[in-house]
Amino acid sequence: MRKMLTIISGALRGAAARNGAQAVSEGTRVVVSSRTYADFTPQATFDIKKCDLHRLEEGPPQQALLTREEGLSYYRTMQTVRRMELKADQLYKQKIIRGFCHLYDGQEACAVGIETGINRTDHLITAYRAHGYTLTRGGTVREIMAELTGRRGGIAKGKGGSMHMYTKNFYGGNGIVGAQVPLGAGVALACKYQGRNELCVTLYGDGAANQGQIFETYNMAALWKLPCIFICENNKYGMGTSVERAAASTDYYKRGDFIPGIRVDGMDVLCVREATKFAAEHCRAGKGPILMELQTYRYHGHSMSDPGVSYRTREEIQEVRSKSDPISMLKERMLSTNMASVDELKEIDVEVRKEIEDAAQFATTDPEPPLEELCNHIFYNDPPIEVRGTNPWSKLKSVS
Amino acid sequence: MASLVSALRSARSAVSVVVRRELHGTPRASMQVTVRDALNQAMDEELERDERVFLLGEEVAQYDGAYKVSRGLWKKYGDKRIIDTPITEMGFAGIAVGAAMAGLRPICEFMTFNFSMQAIDQVINSAAKTYYMSAGLQPVPVVFRGPNGASAGVAAQHSQCFAAWYAHCPGLKVVSPWNSEDAKGLLKSAIRDDNPVVFLENELMYGVPFEMSEEALSKDFLIPIGKAKIERQGNHITLVSHSRYVSHCLDAAAILAKEGVECEVINLRTIRPMDVETIETSVMKTNHLVTVEGGWPQFGIGAEICARIMEGTAFNYLDAPVTRVTGVDIPMPYAKILEDHSLPQIKDIIFTVKKTLNI
């Protein structure tokens, strides 16, 4: 962190006075880089893909401004999600994580881009592919991994698991496909009701997009002008079923019918950010809900029990990795405009790796929750109750 | 909280003595209130008391409620707090749950609980389980209310009792009021409860007037969830029931009293958590138990009571097996004669009592 601040302050200083580079003291210089901060571009503008529009006269801008600071931050966060998911893969194969594990690698630009387009005081809800969002919404890698391994230091004390992680203004993590969408509209209703100019980002996948309850929700959200950004993360496959085999219309951004929609390149973090900002403005202006379809891709199968190659080719996966990887895209942008150095990014990689290793270490050594916790958290704000165990003589205690 | 509850309990027992005396003379401070009006009062008071409370459901606003339970509320509180929804149960139940997660206190009305099946995933998976799954991070203070069980002539798809279905699930509280006092006190408690509550009303009871004491008419009258009430004392046999069938039990008890059989009638008030202790204490006194419910027999409320009695101390006090009086194990027919014979009648209760007592 200190190093990061040093880099940033150095860059700013360097930008202000080109000749002042020599004035920077030895102690603050990044050890690995032989270049000075004055060399780095403080910010650059990038062209981003035009979004397809539905019921909108104009869409998000086609250029995005990225500062060095932002770039490094997005890079770090995306890399953290990536490595965290890969570590989860490893732990799952070692049977240290069990049950469901739906990995998010490949889709990092969505979670990171969305978060940068809204405020921390806004709200967000998603389905079960939720580890990335738990992180961007304030969870730590440690508590996420410990939840996956079912330990007491987990974000839900080990009682929720992969699909049930929560933070402030983040409502999980939901296991029932599509059920989170009405919930999200309900959160948006609460935002409007309480008059705090907040909104709710409500995510679902291409598989869920055909759920009836989502159309029920579109109707009510539009009717009552709820400040809800519906976001369909279209990763082209609902478990093993490709979008063409599941949907009569794969234009998910149009499926909201009377709700305006945007189709966004979900592999480009800047495109996602700009679209989210655009959508947020729409909601905050009181115009009601809006729909975003993020075209993205998951490298892993649906879950850890799906190798992910029976319904798609390895060539397809490889092609996306080489041509559209969100982290690579950002990296190239930053390097090509001299916003960062290769070594600097490598160093971030090293730091991220370490953070993940430490978290994994914690997640594998932290003890499981104590048995006394078994029956707790049935009711909130209630006196303790007795819960029946597996047999009539087993009377267990439950506290709020 | 505990002191308030005990204060209420002692106040109530004092009041019930007064009310009984009054019934023989002319009621003064108390008055006759229908169950419908009692529910209306409860919601009105809670809406006034807490800004975060709001009501949503089909026809609750401008129609004044499909069964007029929410009459006058929209006029008083407006669009923001009384919301008419489209006919999309799964959607609006989910919206209610989401609103509860984000800090509001919604009352979600199902026009009847039959339609709640469309939304049952939101009630169970989104509402009931969330506080546990989040290890205490995310409470869900929502009330799902509406008429439950048989009505009159509405046939199979509109007559099911869901008490057993919802009472099966941890994380939910399930309440089933009988009279006006129950309706008001329990609904207020349900709304103030920070947990998901399924509030099972009964359409046939809506229009029935009951005496309500001055205390029950007051704005802070609460009945604690989880406590049964002994509506009638007796020594020979215990009758346990909930909702409409409490009336049937009391009527049966009155008839049996003439034959010298004194029934103790327990009104469960809450299905989950069930007040087994009150039942056990009664059984230890009377040595006989009959359960009465409108729902189907298999895996029902009576079945649960039997199991609990068997597993507890009261078993040793039984002089006969526990018997259940239930609805007939069939979908509800339409023709009046068939419908009448699909549900427990007073004579069925009397018959079962006599069989149990071997008289």
Side-chain angles (χ1 to χ4, degrees):
Chain A
M1 189 60 194
R2 282 196 106 229
K3 223 171 250 168
M4 172 77 95
L5 289 169
T6 317
I7 295 169
I8 293 165
S9 64
L12 290 170
R13 247 181 282 142
R18 287 248 136 212
N19 302 328
Q22 304 310 317
V24 173
S25 71
E26 279 296 316
T28 58
R29 201 184 289 186
V30 175
V31 173
V32 182
S33 172
S34 59
R35 290 147 75 181
T36 63
Y37 313 113
D39 290 339
F40 290 127
T41 319
Q43 60 185 44
T45 306
F46 297 97
D47 288 333
I48 53 178
K49 259 200 210 134
K50 182 173 194 290
C51 295
D52 293 320
L53 302 176
H54 171 69
R55 287 191 191 268
L56 282 167
E57 288 305 314
E58 37 177 61
Q62 289 172 246
Q63 293 197 310
L65 178 71
L66 179 70
T67 68
R68 199 179 111 83
E69 195 181 291
E70 284 169 345
L72 290 169
S73 167
Y74 303 168
Y75 181 85
R76 181 182 289 268
T77 312
M78 289 202 286
Q79 194 66 288
T80 306
V81 174
R82 175 70 57 93
R83 299 244 69 94
M84 178 177 75
E85 297 295 80
L86 293 178
K87 177 56 79 174
D89 169 279
Q90 221 177 66
L91 292 174
Y92 194 94
K93 286 170 176 154
Q94 295 173 310
K95 299 194 197 285
I96 300 172
I97 295 177
R98 35 180 227 109
F100 288 128
C101 193
H102 307 88
L103 298 178
Y104 199 68
D105 51 313
Q107 300 187 212
E108 296 85 355
C110 298
V112 175
I114 290 169
E115 190 62 33
T116 58
I118 57 174
N119 303 325
R120 188 63 186 88
T121 47
D122 287 321
H123 307 257
L124 190 143
I125 189 170
T126 187
Y128 47 77
R129 201 174 300 280
H131 309 159
Y133 289 100
T134 315
L135 188 80
T136 55
R137 288 255 102 198
T140 64
V141 183
R142 258 167 84 99
E143 54 192 2
I144 293 171
M145 301 217 75
E147 186 60 34
L148 292 174
T149 55
R151 307 303 165 100
R152 62 180 71 184
I155 200 166
K157 301 197 171 93
K159 294 173 94 168
S162 169
M163 300 186 294
H164 309 293
M165 303 194 191
Y166 306 79
T167 70
K168 186 163 196 321
N169 294 356
F170 173 57
Y171 303 86
N174 288 275
I176 307 295
V177 172
Q180 76 277 11
V181 177
L183 295 181
V187 174
L189 187 145
C191 290
K192 183 172 180 181
Y193 190 105
Q194 291 165 329
R196 291 197 217 131
N197 199 26
E198 292 162 5
L199 52 83
C200 185
V201 175
T202 302
L203 291 130
Y204 54 95
D206 51 277
N210 302 308
Q211 275 258 321
Q213 59 187 315
I214 292 185
F215 293 89
E216 295 187 13
T217 309
Y218 289 158
N219 182 43
M220 286 183 274
L223 209 51
W224 301 333
K225 289 201 153 48
L226 301 181
C228 188
I229 304 176
F230 293 107
I231 300 187
C232 176
E233 282 182 293
N234 177 6
N235 59 19
K236 303 188 181 31
Y237 299 93
M239 203 154 142
T241 307
S242 68
V243 292
E244 297 78 37
R245 292 204 303 127
S249 163
T250 54
D251 290 332
Y252 296 104
Y253 72 112
K254 290 186 185 171
R255 299 281 292 275
D257 190 6
F258 35 77
I259 297 180
I262 328 171
R263 182 157 55 192
V264 181
D265 178 0
M267 302 306 267
D268 179 353
V269 68
L270 294 180
C271 205
V272 177
R273 184 187 76 183
E274 292 310 310
T276 307
K277 281 188 175 156
F278 176 87
E281 222 177 273
H282 176 102
C283 284
R284 285 192 230 279
K287 295 183 186 168
I290 188 168
L291 210 163
M292 276 166 55
E293 176 189 338
L294 303 180
Q295 296 194 300
T296 184
Y297 200 84
R298 53 166 162 81
Y299 294 141
H300 269 85
H302 163 72
S303 71
M304 285 306 298
S305 42
D306 169 26
V309 286
S310 61
Y311 48 86
R312 53 186 193 173
T313 62
R314 288 183 206 273
E315 288 75 46
E316 179 187 284
I317 305 169
Q318 194 39 46
E319 187 167 351
V320 176
R321 257 194 222 281
S322 52
K323 299 209 177 116
S324 319
D325 185 275
I327 300 175
S328 302
M329 200 192 295
L330 179 64
K331 182 173 177 177
E332 264 162 53
R333 275 180 169 151
M334 293 197 69
L335 293 177
S336 65
T337 54
N338 197 25
M339 276 212 275
S341 73
V342 171
D343 293 329
E344 188 174 23
L345 295 180
K346 260 204 192 108
E347 209 175 311
I348 293 178
D349 291 349
V350 167
E351 284 167 11
V352 166
R353 228 178 269 259
K354 180 160 193 317
E355 188 185 353
I356 306 300
E357 277 308 318
D358 284 349
Q361 178 63 14
F362 174 68
T364 46
T365 54
D366 197 39
E368 286 188 288
L371 280 179
E372 294 75 60
E373 277 280 318
L374 180 67
C375 298
N376 291 344
H377 310 118
I378 295 288
F379 292 131
Y380 175 54
N381 227 7
D382 256 19
I385 55 172
E386 197 178 83
V387 171
R388 191 203 139 100
T390 56
N391 62 69
W393 297 274
S394 168
K395 297 186 208 287
L396 307 171
K397 185 153 176 229
S398 171
V399 300
S400 285
Chain B
M1 183 64 194
S3 54
L4 175 69
V5 167
S6 57
L8 275 172
R9 238 184 260 144
S10 52
R12 217 166 4 102
S13 49
V15 164
S16 60
V17 172
V18 173
V19 170
R20 248 182 273 136
R21 252 192 267 131
E22 305 277 44
L23 284 170
H24 299 299
T26 12
R28 264 164 274 162
S30 56
M31 61 187 268
Q32 292 270 313
V33 180
T34 60
V35 171
R36 171 186 290 114
D37 289 341
L39 293 167
N40 188 285
Q41 247 179 59
M43 288 198 284
D44 191 355
E45 288 169 9
E46 295 306 299
L47 282 157
E48 195 178 273
R49 176 182 176 271
D50 189 340
E51 272 264 302
R52 302 166 298 172
V53 176
F54 72 100
L55 172 66
L56 86 167
E58 294 154 12
E59 311 299 346
V60 297
Q62 298 188 21
Y63 197 83
D64 270 337
Y67 300 100
K68 307 303 177 204
V69 178
S70 55
R71 177 168 34 215
L73 296 179
W74 175 67
K75 204 158 173 208
K76 184 171 175 184
Y77 294 100
D79 286 329
K80 180 181 174 185
R81 313 224 20 230
I82 313 290
I83 304 175
D84 274 335
T85 64
I87 310 173
T88 49
E89 274 79 5
M90 198 166 182
F92 70 70
I95 284 178
V97 176
M101 289 179 175
L104 299 183
R105 305 190 72 91
I107 305 168
C108 176
E109 178 178 303
F110 291 120
M111 197 181 281
T112 76
F113 265 93
N114 299 285
F115 315 137
S116 74
M117 276 201 284
Q118 309 233 294
I120 201 164
D121 175 65
Q122 297 290 0
V123 178
I124 307 300
N125 282 319
S126 302
K129 296 179 185 171
T130 294
Y131 191 65
Y132 185 87
M133 291 193 296
S134 67
L137 291 174
Q138 182 63 73
V140 186
V142 62
V143 174
F144 298 102
R145 52 158 288 274
N148 175 59
S151 177
V154 293
Q157 294 180 340
H158 289 73
S159 305
Q160 190 169 330
C161 175
F162 288 86
W165 282 39
Y166 288 115
H168 187 60
C169 301
L172 279 184
K173 296 188 185 181
V174 180
V175 177
S176 185
W178 163 57
N179 63 6
S180 303
E181 196 178 285
D182 286 359
K184 184 173 174 202
L186 288 168
L187 185 53
K188 284 168 76 78
S189 292
I191 295 168
R192 294 189 197 191
D193 201 303
D194 288 328
N195 298 285
V197 180
V198 169
F199 193 87
L200 304 169
E201 299 161 9
N202 188 293
E203 201 229 312
L204 297 172
M205 297 303 290
Y206 281 156
V208 181
F210 289 93
E211 203 70 43
M212 273 184 84
S213 65
E214 192 183 329
E215 191 222 347
L217 292 166
S218 77
K219 281 195 176 162
D220 278 299
F221 174 68
L222 298 171
I223 292 181
I225 293 175
K227 203 81 188 68
K229 183 180 177 206
I230 299 176
E231 299 289 349
R232 184 190 194 282
Q233 305 252 5
N235 286 313
H236 299 133
I237 186 164
T238 303
L239 301 178
V240 181
S241 187
H242 72 102
S243 187
R244 182 158 167 257
Y245 295 92
V246 176
S247 298
H248 287 52
C249 288
L250 289 170
D251 291 346
I255 295 171
L256 285 161
K258 297 201 185 107
E259 298 181 45
V261 178
E262 292 298 328
C263 303
E264 180 141 291
V265 177
I266 298 179
N267 169 11
L268 277 176
R269 284 181 158 178
T270 301
I271 312 291
R272 181 178 184 117
M274 192 181 318
D275 181 3
V276 187
E277 219 180 275
T278 299
I279 306 175
E280 284 180 323
T281 309
S282 177
V283 169
M284 294 200 282
K285 181 175 74 170
T286 66
N287 313 121
H288 299 86
L289 177 58
V290 170
T291 70
V292 183
E293 68 196 285
W296 294 317
Q298 300 195 40
F299 311 95
I301 307 299
E304 176 66 14
I305 294 174
C306 287
R308 300 262 255 219
I309 293 296
M310 287 240 286
E311 289 179 348
T313 43
F315 174 71
N316 293 309
Y317 292 75
L318 285 172
D319 287 344
V322 180
T323 34
R324 305 170 291 164
V325 177
T326 69
V328 178
D329 207 6
I330 52 171
M332 181 68 67
Y334 167 67
K336 186 151 198 329
I337 187 171
L338 298 179
E339 186 183 65
D340 287 345
H341 285 82
S342 305
L343 294 164
Q345 299 181 33
I346 294 167
K347 62 176 170 73
D348 298 318
I349 303 174
I350 294 172
F351 174 81
T352 309
V353 166
K354 287 184 172 173
K355 278 285 256 207
T356 306
L357 290 172
N358 209 17
I359 52 175

